[in-house]
Short mmCIF file of all heavy atoms in Angstrom, two decimals:
data_model
loop_
_atom_site.label_atom_id
_atom_site.label_comp_id
_atom_site.label_asym_id
_atom_site.label_seq_id
_atom_site.Cartn_x
_atom_site.Cartn_y
_atom_site.Cartn_z
N VAL A 155 0.84 -1.15 0.02
CA VAL A 155 -0.02 0.01 -0.11
C VAL A 155 0.90 1.29 -0.01
O VAL A 155 1.82 1.32 0.77
CB VAL A 155 -0.89 0.00 1.28
CG1 VAL A 155 -1.69 1.29 1.28
CG2 VAL A 155 -1.88 -1.20 1.22
N ILE A 156 0.58 2.17 -0.83
CA ILE A 156 1.29 3.46 -0.93
C ILE A 156 0.49 4.55 -0.24
O ILE A 156 -0.68 4.71 -0.43
CB ILE A 156 1.59 3.81 -2.44
CG1 ILE A 156 2.55 2.82 -3.04
CG2 ILE A 156 2.25 5.23 -2.46
CD1 ILE A 156 2.78 3.06 -4.51
N PHE A 157 1.19 5.19 0.75
CA PHE A 157 0.50 6.22 1.51
C PHE A 157 0.99 7.57 0.97
O PHE A 157 2.20 7.74 0.97
CB PHE A 157 0.75 6.04 2.93
CG PHE A 157 0.19 7.14 3.81
CD1 PHE A 157 -1.18 7.09 4.10
CD2 PHE A 157 0.96 8.12 4.35
CE1 PHE A 157 -1.75 8.18 4.83
CE2 PHE A 157 0.39 9.13 5.10
CZ PHE A 157 -0.93 9.15 5.38
N CYS A 158 0.10 8.57 0.70
CA CYS A 158 0.45 9.81 0.29
C CYS A 158 -0.16 10.92 1.14
O CYS A 158 -1.26 10.69 1.62
CB CYS A 158 -0.02 10.06 -1.13
SG CYS A 158 0.72 8.93 -2.35
N ASP A 159 0.45 12.01 1.31
CA ASP A 159 0.01 13.16 2.17
C ASP A 159 0.88 14.33 1.82
O ASP A 159 1.76 14.23 0.92
CB ASP A 159 0.13 12.86 3.66
CG ASP A 159 -0.88 13.56 4.43
OD1 ASP A 159 -1.29 14.68 4.03
OD2 ASP A 159 -1.25 13.16 5.60
N LYS A 160 0.68 15.44 2.46
CA LYS A 160 1.58 16.60 2.30
C LYS A 160 2.90 16.21 2.69
O LYS A 160 3.23 15.49 3.68
CB LYS A 160 1.04 17.79 3.15
CG LYS A 160 -0.26 18.23 2.75
CD LYS A 160 -0.66 19.40 3.66
CE LYS A 160 -2.06 19.98 3.24
NZ LYS A 160 -2.48 21.07 4.08
N ALA A 161 3.99 16.62 1.87
CA ALA A 161 5.36 16.26 2.11
C ALA A 161 5.81 16.67 3.52
O ALA A 161 6.49 15.83 4.26
CB ALA A 161 6.22 16.91 1.11
N GLU A 162 5.38 17.81 4.02
CA GLU A 162 5.77 18.27 5.32
C GLU A 162 5.30 17.24 6.42
O GLU A 162 6.13 16.96 7.37
CB GLU A 162 5.27 19.66 5.69
CG GLU A 162 5.51 20.22 6.95
CD GLU A 162 5.09 21.65 7.16
OE1 GLU A 162 4.41 22.19 6.25
OE2 GLU A 162 5.31 22.19 8.27
N ILE A 163 4.15 16.78 6.26
CA ILE A 163 3.51 15.87 7.25
C ILE A 163 4.31 14.51 7.25
O ILE A 163 4.65 13.97 8.30
CB ILE A 163 2.00 15.62 6.98
CG1 ILE A 163 1.24 17.01 7.39
CG2 ILE A 163 1.52 14.45 7.85
CD1 ILE A 163 -0.19 16.92 6.95
N ILE A 164 4.55 14.07 5.97
CA ILE A 164 5.28 12.74 5.91
C ILE A 164 6.66 12.82 6.54
O ILE A 164 7.04 11.99 7.39
CB ILE A 164 5.46 12.36 4.41
CG1 ILE A 164 4.06 12.14 3.77
CG2 ILE A 164 6.38 11.18 4.15
CD1 ILE A 164 3.42 10.77 3.80
N PHE A 165 7.53 13.81 6.12
CA PHE A 165 8.79 13.90 6.65
C PHE A 165 8.84 14.27 8.16
O PHE A 165 9.72 13.75 8.90
CB PHE A 165 9.63 14.93 5.85
CG PHE A 165 9.98 14.41 4.52
CD1 PHE A 165 9.37 14.93 3.32
CD2 PHE A 165 10.94 13.36 4.28
CE1 PHE A 165 9.76 14.41 2.09
CE2 PHE A 165 11.26 12.88 3.16
CZ PHE A 165 10.66 13.38 2.00
N ASN A 166 7.86 15.10 8.65
CA ASN A 166 7.88 15.32 10.03
C ASN A 166 7.44 14.03 10.86
O ASN A 166 7.99 13.88 11.95
CB ASN A 166 6.85 16.44 10.40
CG ASN A 166 7.38 17.84 9.97
OD1 ASN A 166 8.61 18.00 9.75
ND2 ASN A 166 6.53 18.81 9.91
N THR A 167 6.59 13.27 10.34
CA THR A 167 6.15 12.04 11.04
C THR A 167 7.35 11.05 11.06
O THR A 167 7.62 10.41 12.09
CB THR A 167 4.96 11.41 10.27
OG1 THR A 167 3.89 12.36 10.38
CG2 THR A 167 4.57 10.14 10.97
N LEU A 168 8.12 10.85 9.92
CA LEU A 168 9.22 10.01 9.88
C LEU A 168 10.24 10.39 10.96
O LEU A 168 10.86 9.59 11.61
CB LEU A 168 9.81 9.92 8.46
CG LEU A 168 8.98 9.26 7.41
CD1 LEU A 168 9.51 9.36 6.06
CD2 LEU A 168 8.72 7.74 7.73
N ALA A 169 10.47 11.76 11.06
CA ALA A 169 11.44 12.23 12.02
C ALA A 169 11.02 12.12 13.42
O ALA A 169 11.74 11.61 14.30
CB ALA A 169 11.70 13.71 11.68
N SER A 170 9.72 12.48 13.74
CA SER A 170 9.32 12.47 15.15
C SER A 170 8.94 11.16 15.71
O SER A 170 9.18 10.75 16.81
CB SER A 170 8.15 13.46 15.28
OG SER A 170 6.99 13.04 14.62
N LYS A 171 8.23 10.27 14.83
CA LYS A 171 7.76 9.07 15.28
C LYS A 171 8.84 7.90 15.15
O LYS A 171 8.87 7.01 16.04
CB LYS A 171 6.46 8.57 14.49
CG LYS A 171 5.80 7.32 15.06
CD LYS A 171 4.47 7.10 14.36
CE LYS A 171 3.77 5.88 14.87
NZ LYS A 171 2.57 5.52 14.22
N PHE A 172 9.62 7.97 14.12
CA PHE A 172 10.50 6.83 13.90
C PHE A 172 12.02 7.40 14.03
O PHE A 172 12.94 6.59 13.81
CB PHE A 172 10.35 6.29 12.51
CG PHE A 172 8.98 5.69 12.34
CD1 PHE A 172 7.97 6.45 11.59
CD2 PHE A 172 8.60 4.50 12.90
CE1 PHE A 172 6.71 5.91 11.49
CE2 PHE A 172 7.33 3.99 12.84
CZ PHE A 172 6.44 4.68 12.08
N ASP A 173 12.28 8.67 14.34
CA ASP A 173 13.56 9.18 14.43
C ASP A 173 14.44 8.94 13.21
O ASP A 173 15.61 8.62 13.30
CB ASP A 173 14.24 8.68 15.68
CG ASP A 173 15.45 9.58 16.03
OD1 ASP A 173 15.37 10.79 15.70
OD2 ASP A 173 16.38 9.03 16.70
N GLU A 174 13.81 8.94 11.95
CA GLU A 174 14.49 8.73 10.65
C GLU A 174 14.90 10.08 10.13
O GLU A 174 14.21 11.08 10.17
CB GLU A 174 13.62 8.01 9.71
CG GLU A 174 13.40 6.54 10.12
CD GLU A 174 12.59 5.79 9.05
OE1 GLU A 174 12.36 6.30 7.92
OE2 GLU A 174 12.24 4.62 9.40
N LYS A 175 16.18 10.09 9.68
CA LYS A 175 16.77 11.28 8.95
C LYS A 175 17.05 10.94 7.56
O LYS A 175 17.50 9.76 7.20
CB LYS A 175 18.09 11.60 9.76
CG LYS A 175 17.98 11.68 11.29
CD LYS A 175 17.49 13.05 11.73
CE LYS A 175 17.54 13.25 13.15
NZ LYS A 175 16.54 12.50 13.94
N PRO A 176 16.94 11.91 6.62
CA PRO A 176 17.28 11.67 5.21
C PRO A 176 18.80 11.41 5.16
O PRO A 176 19.62 12.20 5.74
CB PRO A 176 16.97 12.95 4.53
CG PRO A 176 16.03 13.69 5.51
CD PRO A 176 16.41 13.22 6.84
N ILE A 177 19.19 10.37 4.31
CA ILE A 177 20.62 10.11 4.11
C ILE A 177 20.95 10.19 2.61
O ILE A 177 22.13 10.19 2.23
CB ILE A 177 21.07 8.77 4.64
CG1 ILE A 177 20.37 7.59 4.03
CG2 ILE A 177 20.89 8.66 6.15
CD1 ILE A 177 21.03 6.19 4.24
N TRP A 178 19.87 10.19 1.79
CA TRP A 178 20.12 10.25 0.29
C TRP A 178 18.90 10.91 -0.35
O TRP A 178 17.80 10.59 0.04
CB TRP A 178 20.34 8.82 -0.18
CG TRP A 178 20.57 8.72 -1.62
CD1 TRP A 178 21.76 8.96 -2.29
CD2 TRP A 178 19.64 8.39 -2.70
NE1 TRP A 178 21.62 8.76 -3.69
CE2 TRP A 178 20.27 8.59 -3.93
CE3 TRP A 178 18.28 8.19 -2.65
CZ2 TRP A 178 19.57 8.32 -5.08
CZ3 TRP A 178 17.54 8.06 -3.85
CH2 TRP A 178 18.25 8.06 -5.03
N VAL A 179 19.13 11.65 -1.45
CA VAL A 179 18.04 12.29 -2.19
C VAL A 179 18.51 12.16 -3.64
O VAL A 179 19.61 12.46 -4.00
CB VAL A 179 17.88 13.78 -1.86
CG1 VAL A 179 16.77 14.37 -2.76
CG2 VAL A 179 17.46 13.88 -0.41
N GLY A 180 17.55 11.66 -4.53
CA GLY A 180 17.88 11.52 -5.86
C GLY A 180 16.70 12.18 -6.71
O GLY A 180 15.56 12.20 -6.23
N LYS A 181 17.07 12.59 -7.99
CA LYS A 181 16.00 13.09 -8.87
C LYS A 181 15.73 12.17 -9.95
O LYS A 181 16.63 11.51 -10.60
CB LYS A 181 16.51 14.43 -9.46
CG LYS A 181 15.43 15.14 -10.23
CD LYS A 181 15.90 16.55 -10.66
CE LYS A 181 14.90 17.23 -11.57
NZ LYS A 181 15.34 18.55 -12.02
N THR A 182 14.43 11.86 -10.16
CA THR A 182 14.03 10.85 -11.09
C THR A 182 13.89 11.51 -12.60
O THR A 182 13.87 12.75 -12.68
CB THR A 182 12.66 10.23 -10.77
OG1 THR A 182 11.62 11.15 -10.98
CG2 THR A 182 12.68 9.66 -9.36
N ASP A 183 13.68 10.61 -13.52
CA ASP A 183 13.49 11.11 -14.87
C ASP A 183 12.11 11.68 -15.14
O ASP A 183 11.74 12.24 -16.12
CB ASP A 183 13.85 9.99 -15.92
CG ASP A 183 12.96 8.77 -15.73
OD1 ASP A 183 12.15 8.72 -14.74
OD2 ASP A 183 13.02 7.84 -16.53
N ARG A 184 11.18 11.53 -14.11
CA ARG A 184 9.88 12.14 -14.13
C ARG A 184 9.80 13.38 -13.38
O ARG A 184 8.71 13.91 -13.10
CB ARG A 184 8.87 11.10 -13.48
CG ARG A 184 8.70 9.84 -14.27
CD ARG A 184 7.66 8.98 -13.62
NE ARG A 184 7.78 8.98 -12.13
CZ ARG A 184 8.07 7.92 -11.32
NH1 ARG A 184 8.29 6.80 -11.94
NH2 ARG A 184 8.17 8.05 -10.11
N ASP A 185 10.96 13.97 -13.07
CA ASP A 185 11.04 15.23 -12.34
C ASP A 185 10.55 15.22 -10.97
O ASP A 185 9.91 16.20 -10.44
CB ASP A 185 10.46 16.38 -13.20
CG ASP A 185 11.09 17.73 -12.86
OD1 ASP A 185 12.29 17.78 -12.50
OD2 ASP A 185 10.40 18.75 -13.00
N THR A 186 10.61 14.11 -10.28
CA THR A 186 10.23 13.95 -8.86
C THR A 186 11.53 13.72 -8.11
O THR A 186 12.57 13.49 -8.71
CB THR A 186 9.29 12.79 -8.66
OG1 THR A 186 9.89 11.53 -8.98
CG2 THR A 186 8.01 12.99 -9.42
N HIS A 187 11.45 13.75 -6.82
CA HIS A 187 12.65 13.39 -5.96
C HIS A 187 12.29 12.18 -5.15
O HIS A 187 11.07 12.00 -4.71
CB HIS A 187 12.92 14.60 -5.05
CG HIS A 187 13.58 15.73 -5.81
ND1 HIS A 187 12.72 16.64 -6.39
CD2 HIS A 187 14.86 16.11 -6.04
CE1 HIS A 187 13.59 17.54 -7.06
NE2 HIS A 187 14.76 17.23 -6.86
N VAL A 188 13.30 11.38 -4.86
CA VAL A 188 13.15 10.23 -3.99
C VAL A 188 14.13 10.45 -2.84
O VAL A 188 15.32 10.74 -3.06
CB VAL A 188 13.40 8.91 -4.75
CG1 VAL A 188 13.33 7.74 -3.84
CG2 VAL A 188 12.47 8.79 -5.87
N THR A 189 13.72 10.22 -1.63
CA THR A 189 14.53 10.27 -0.44
C THR A 189 14.56 9.08 0.36
O THR A 189 13.49 8.41 0.52
CB THR A 189 14.04 11.52 0.45
OG1 THR A 189 14.14 12.66 -0.31
CG2 THR A 189 14.84 11.61 1.74
N LEU A 190 15.61 8.63 0.79
CA LEU A 190 15.79 7.47 1.74
C LEU A 190 16.08 8.03 3.12
O LEU A 190 17.00 8.78 3.32
CB LEU A 190 16.98 6.60 1.34
CG LEU A 190 17.25 5.35 2.21
CD1 LEU A 190 16.02 4.45 2.19
CD2 LEU A 190 18.50 4.65 1.80
N THR A 191 15.17 7.73 4.09
CA THR A 191 15.40 8.17 5.41
C THR A 191 15.68 6.91 6.26
O THR A 191 15.19 5.79 5.97
CB THR A 191 14.15 8.82 6.03
OG1 THR A 191 13.03 7.93 6.07
CG2 THR A 191 13.71 10.04 5.24
N VAL A 192 16.54 7.08 7.28
CA VAL A 192 17.01 5.90 8.01
C VAL A 192 17.17 6.29 9.55
O VAL A 192 17.53 7.47 9.86
CB VAL A 192 18.43 5.51 7.53
CG1 VAL A 192 19.09 4.46 8.44
CG2 VAL A 192 18.37 5.02 6.11
N ASN A 193 16.81 5.35 10.39
CA ASN A 193 17.12 5.42 11.82
C ASN A 193 18.36 4.48 12.02
O ASN A 193 18.17 3.27 11.90
CB ASN A 193 16.01 5.06 12.66
CG ASN A 193 16.26 5.05 14.14
OD1 ASN A 193 17.33 4.63 14.63
ND2 ASN A 193 15.25 5.53 14.95
N LYS A 194 19.54 4.99 12.18
CA LYS A 194 20.74 4.16 12.26
C LYS A 194 20.71 3.29 13.50
O LYS A 194 21.37 2.25 13.50
CB LYS A 194 22.03 5.03 12.24
CG LYS A 194 22.15 5.65 10.93
CD LYS A 194 23.40 6.54 10.89
CE LYS A 194 23.59 7.20 9.50
NZ LYS A 194 24.82 8.06 9.46
N GLU A 195 20.18 3.64 14.60
CA GLU A 195 20.12 2.81 15.74
C GLU A 195 19.13 1.72 15.74
O GLU A 195 19.46 0.57 16.16
CB GLU A 195 19.90 3.69 16.99
CG GLU A 195 20.99 4.67 17.30
CD GLU A 195 20.67 5.59 18.57
OE1 GLU A 195 19.79 5.26 19.26
OE2 GLU A 195 21.49 6.53 18.70
N GLU A 196 17.91 1.97 15.21
CA GLU A 196 16.83 0.97 15.13
C GLU A 196 16.87 0.21 13.83
O GLU A 196 16.10 -0.83 13.68
CB GLU A 196 15.47 1.68 15.30
CG GLU A 196 15.35 2.32 16.70
CD GLU A 196 15.42 1.36 17.88
OE1 GLU A 196 14.83 0.17 17.76
OE2 GLU A 196 15.89 1.78 18.90
N HIS A 197 17.65 0.65 12.85
CA HIS A 197 17.75 0.04 11.58
C HIS A 197 16.44 0.11 10.69
O HIS A 197 16.25 -0.82 9.95
CB HIS A 197 18.27 -1.37 11.63
CG HIS A 197 19.62 -1.43 12.32
ND1 HIS A 197 20.80 -1.13 11.72
CD2 HIS A 197 19.94 -1.79 13.61
CE1 HIS A 197 21.72 -1.20 12.61
NE2 HIS A 197 21.28 -1.71 13.72
N THR A 198 15.65 1.09 10.97
CA THR A 198 14.42 1.26 10.08
C THR A 198 14.76 2.21 8.92
O THR A 198 15.66 3.01 9.03
CB THR A 198 13.31 1.84 10.93
OG1 THR A 198 13.63 3.13 11.48
CG2 THR A 198 12.82 0.92 12.05
N TRP A 199 13.98 2.07 7.93
CA TRP A 199 14.18 2.87 6.73
C TRP A 199 12.86 3.21 6.08
O TRP A 199 11.89 2.37 6.15
CB TRP A 199 15.17 2.30 5.78
CG TRP A 199 14.76 0.99 5.32
CD1 TRP A 199 15.13 -0.19 5.77
CD2 TRP A 199 14.02 0.68 4.21
NE1 TRP A 199 14.63 -1.23 5.06
CE2 TRP A 199 13.87 -0.65 4.06
CE3 TRP A 199 13.33 1.50 3.20
CZ2 TRP A 199 13.16 -1.31 3.00
CZ3 TRP A 199 12.65 0.85 2.19
CH2 TRP A 199 12.58 -0.56 2.14
N SER A 200 12.78 4.28 5.36
CA SER A 200 11.61 4.58 4.49
C SER A 200 12.09 5.19 3.18
O SER A 200 13.06 5.95 3.15
CB SER A 200 10.71 5.63 5.25
OG SER A 200 10.26 5.11 6.44
N LEU A 201 11.37 4.86 2.13
CA LEU A 201 11.69 5.42 0.82
C LEU A 201 10.48 6.25 0.40
O LEU A 201 9.32 5.73 0.34
CB LEU A 201 11.89 4.26 -0.18
CG LEU A 201 12.38 4.65 -1.60
CD1 LEU A 201 13.82 5.35 -1.49
CD2 LEU A 201 12.45 3.51 -2.49
N VAL A 202 10.69 7.56 0.17
CA VAL A 202 9.72 8.50 -0.13
C VAL A 202 9.91 9.20 -1.42
O VAL A 202 10.96 9.69 -1.70
CB VAL A 202 9.62 9.61 1.03
CG1 VAL A 202 8.46 10.59 0.80
CG2 VAL A 202 9.48 8.91 2.46
N GLU A 203 8.85 9.29 -2.33
CA GLU A 203 8.95 9.94 -3.59
C GLU A 203 8.06 11.20 -3.37
O GLU A 203 6.96 11.21 -2.86
CB GLU A 203 8.37 9.20 -4.67
CG GLU A 203 8.60 9.93 -6.05
CD GLU A 203 8.22 9.04 -7.18
OE1 GLU A 203 7.62 7.97 -7.03
OE2 GLU A 203 8.61 9.33 -8.34
N TYR A 204 8.51 12.40 -3.84
CA TYR A 204 7.81 13.65 -3.70
C TYR A 204 7.95 14.55 -4.80
O TYR A 204 8.98 14.55 -5.54
CB TYR A 204 8.12 14.30 -2.32
CG TYR A 204 9.55 14.77 -2.18
CD1 TYR A 204 9.96 16.02 -2.51
CD2 TYR A 204 10.47 13.89 -1.76
CE1 TYR A 204 11.32 16.45 -2.30
CE2 TYR A 204 11.80 14.22 -1.59
CZ TYR A 204 12.15 15.46 -1.87
OH TYR A 204 13.52 15.85 -1.80
N GLN A 205 7.01 15.38 -4.99
CA GLN A 205 6.96 16.45 -6.03
C GLN A 205 6.12 17.57 -5.59
O GLN A 205 4.94 17.33 -5.15
CB GLN A 205 6.48 16.02 -7.41
CG GLN A 205 6.64 16.97 -8.48
CD GLN A 205 6.12 16.47 -9.83
OE1 GLN A 205 5.28 15.61 -9.91
NE2 GLN A 205 6.76 16.95 -10.90
N GLY A 206 6.63 18.73 -5.54
CA GLY A 206 5.87 19.93 -5.03
C GLY A 206 5.55 19.60 -3.52
O GLY A 206 6.44 19.27 -2.78
N GLY A 207 4.32 19.80 -3.14
CA GLY A 207 3.98 19.68 -1.75
C GLY A 207 3.45 18.26 -1.43
O GLY A 207 2.94 18.10 -0.29
N THR A 208 3.43 17.31 -2.34
CA THR A 208 2.92 15.93 -2.07
C THR A 208 4.02 14.93 -2.02
O THR A 208 4.96 14.96 -2.86
CB THR A 208 1.84 15.60 -3.13
OG1 THR A 208 0.87 16.52 -3.15
CG2 THR A 208 1.25 14.21 -2.83
N ALA A 209 3.90 14.06 -1.06
CA ALA A 209 4.86 12.96 -0.88
C ALA A 209 4.14 11.63 -0.73
O ALA A 209 3.11 11.60 -0.16
CB ALA A 209 5.81 13.25 0.33
N CYS A 210 4.80 10.52 -1.23
CA CYS A 210 4.22 9.19 -1.05
C CYS A 210 5.23 8.38 -0.55
O CYS A 210 6.45 8.25 -0.96
CB CYS A 210 3.80 8.67 -2.38
SG CYS A 210 2.41 9.59 -3.13
N VAL A 211 4.93 7.49 0.46
CA VAL A 211 5.81 6.58 1.07
C VAL A 211 5.70 5.26 0.22
O VAL A 211 4.82 4.61 0.08
CB VAL A 211 5.45 6.18 2.52
CG1 VAL A 211 6.37 5.10 3.04
CG2 VAL A 211 5.51 7.45 3.36
N LEU A 212 6.85 4.94 -0.49
CA LEU A 212 6.91 3.85 -1.48
C LEU A 212 7.27 2.54 -0.71
O LEU A 212 6.88 1.47 -1.22
CB LEU A 212 7.95 4.14 -2.46
CG LEU A 212 7.80 5.40 -3.31
CD1 LEU A 212 8.85 5.49 -4.38
CD2 LEU A 212 6.37 5.41 -4.03
N GLY A 213 7.98 2.57 0.33
CA GLY A 213 8.33 1.34 1.07
C GLY A 213 8.95 1.68 2.37
O GLY A 213 9.52 2.80 2.58
N VAL A 214 8.85 0.75 3.34
CA VAL A 214 9.47 0.90 4.62
C VAL A 214 10.07 -0.51 5.03
O VAL A 214 9.70 -1.48 4.53
CB VAL A 214 8.49 1.36 5.72
CG1 VAL A 214 7.88 2.70 5.41
CG2 VAL A 214 7.31 0.26 5.91
N GLY A 215 11.02 -0.51 5.94
CA GLY A 215 11.61 -1.78 6.43
C GLY A 215 12.29 -1.57 7.78
O GLY A 215 12.40 -0.37 8.22
N GLU A 216 12.68 -2.74 8.34
CA GLU A 216 13.35 -2.73 9.64
C GLU A 216 14.71 -3.37 9.58
O GLU A 216 15.25 -3.60 10.67
CB GLU A 216 12.39 -3.52 10.56
CG GLU A 216 11.09 -2.86 10.85
CD GLU A 216 10.21 -3.70 11.87
OE1 GLU A 216 10.71 -4.70 12.41
OE2 GLU A 216 9.10 -3.23 12.03
N THR A 217 15.26 -3.71 8.44
CA THR A 217 16.55 -4.18 8.33
C THR A 217 17.24 -3.60 7.13
O THR A 217 16.66 -2.99 6.27
CB THR A 217 16.56 -5.72 8.16
OG1 THR A 217 15.78 -6.04 6.96
CG2 THR A 217 15.92 -6.39 9.33
N SER A 218 18.58 -3.80 7.10
CA SER A 218 19.33 -3.25 6.01
C SER A 218 20.51 -4.18 5.75
O SER A 218 20.95 -4.90 6.58
CB SER A 218 19.96 -1.93 6.47
OG SER A 218 20.89 -1.46 5.52
N SER A 219 20.88 -4.25 4.40
CA SER A 219 21.96 -5.11 4.02
C SER A 219 23.24 -4.37 4.20
O SER A 219 24.31 -5.01 4.04
CB SER A 219 21.83 -5.58 2.56
OG SER A 219 21.78 -4.47 1.69
N ASN A 220 23.24 -3.11 4.63
CA ASN A 220 24.45 -2.34 4.85
C ASN A 220 24.67 -2.32 6.30
O ASN A 220 23.95 -1.61 7.03
CB ASN A 220 24.26 -0.91 4.22
CG ASN A 220 25.53 -0.11 4.40
OD1 ASN A 220 26.45 -0.43 5.13
ND2 ASN A 220 25.57 0.97 3.70
N PRO A 221 25.72 -2.87 6.86
CA PRO A 221 25.89 -2.93 8.30
C PRO A 221 26.23 -1.58 8.90
O PRO A 221 26.20 -1.41 10.08
CB PRO A 221 27.10 -3.95 8.48
CG PRO A 221 27.74 -3.97 7.15
CD PRO A 221 26.67 -3.64 6.16
N ASP A 222 26.59 -0.63 8.06
CA ASP A 222 26.98 0.67 8.60
C ASP A 222 25.68 1.56 8.85
O ASP A 222 25.89 2.71 9.37
CB ASP A 222 27.89 1.40 7.55
CG ASP A 222 29.23 0.78 7.47
OD1 ASP A 222 29.67 0.14 8.45
OD2 ASP A 222 29.84 0.90 6.37
N ILE A 223 24.59 1.09 8.40
CA ILE A 223 23.34 1.93 8.56
C ILE A 223 22.69 1.55 9.92
O ILE A 223 22.56 0.47 10.27
CB ILE A 223 22.38 1.67 7.37
CG1 ILE A 223 22.99 2.26 6.15
CG2 ILE A 223 21.05 2.25 7.60
CD1 ILE A 223 22.12 2.20 4.87
#
């Protein structure tokens, strides 16, 4: 399920509820941006795509294949 809302709400929720911080931002060929947020201590992550004021959470997880995250 993809969840969409105002970008400010999505990113504030990821920061306040999950203590996730952006570690990577990329620009797509559709002129949107994709951000990976991570909580390095709990090993949670979220992948968010956004354009303008709207953001959608594309995926979330609780593990990582990168031991440094």
Side-chain angles (χ1 to χ4, degrees):
V155 174
I156 296 176
F157 176 77
C158 300
D159 205 336
K160 293 180 181 177
E162 182 178 358
I163 292 172
I164 296 273
F165 287 109
N166 285 344
T167 300
L168 292 173
S170 65
K171 187 172 181 181
F172 301 103
D173 199 27
E174 292 187 4
K175 310 277 189 282
I177 64 164
W178 180 84
V179 177
K181 187 173 181 181
T182 71
D183 59 356
R184 296 184 316 244
D185 206 30
T186 65
H187 289 85
V188 176
T189 298
L190 177 63
T191 63
V192 171
N193 177 320
K194 292 182 181 182
E195 292 180 14
E196 299 294 325
H197 302 285
T198 61
W199 59 268
S200 300
L201 189 63
V202 181
E203 185 173 18
Y204 60 97
Q205 183 177 35
T208 302
C210 297
V211 178
L212 303 179
V214 298
E216 295 181 1
T217 59
S218 171
S219 62
N220 183 346
D222 294 334
I223 292 180

